[in-house]
Amino acid sequence: MTPPSPQSSVRSVSVSFDRVVDIYDSTRGLPPGISEQVTEVIIISEKTSSIRK
């Protein structure tokens, strides 16, 4: 008797993307206010690096 292959004991569950699209979308952005902070850091970084050149 041969043991089952690892693949045969693993069940794959498929979920329609339409059912999870709202959950997925909610994970794709930054929390409120963080985007503005990131923008400020990038602008300051760019100004600082151009001064050093």
Side-chain angles (χ1 to χ4, degrees), residues 1-48:
M1 184 167 137
T2 58
S5 69
Q7 292 82 10
S8 67
S9 63
V10 176
R11 293 185 113 186
S12 176
V13 177
S14 176
V15 177
S16 168
F17 185 75
D18 291 340
R19 292 179 48 200
V20 295
V21 70
D22 291 332
I23 296 167
Y24 178 82
D25 286 347
S26 70
T27 67
R28 304 310 300 162
L30 296 171
I34 300 299
S35 179
E36 291 80 7
Q37 292 177 16
V38 170
T39 302
E40 287 179 36
V41 169
I42 292 171
I43 291 170
I44 290 169
S45 175
E46 285 296 315
K47 288 180 180 178
T48 304

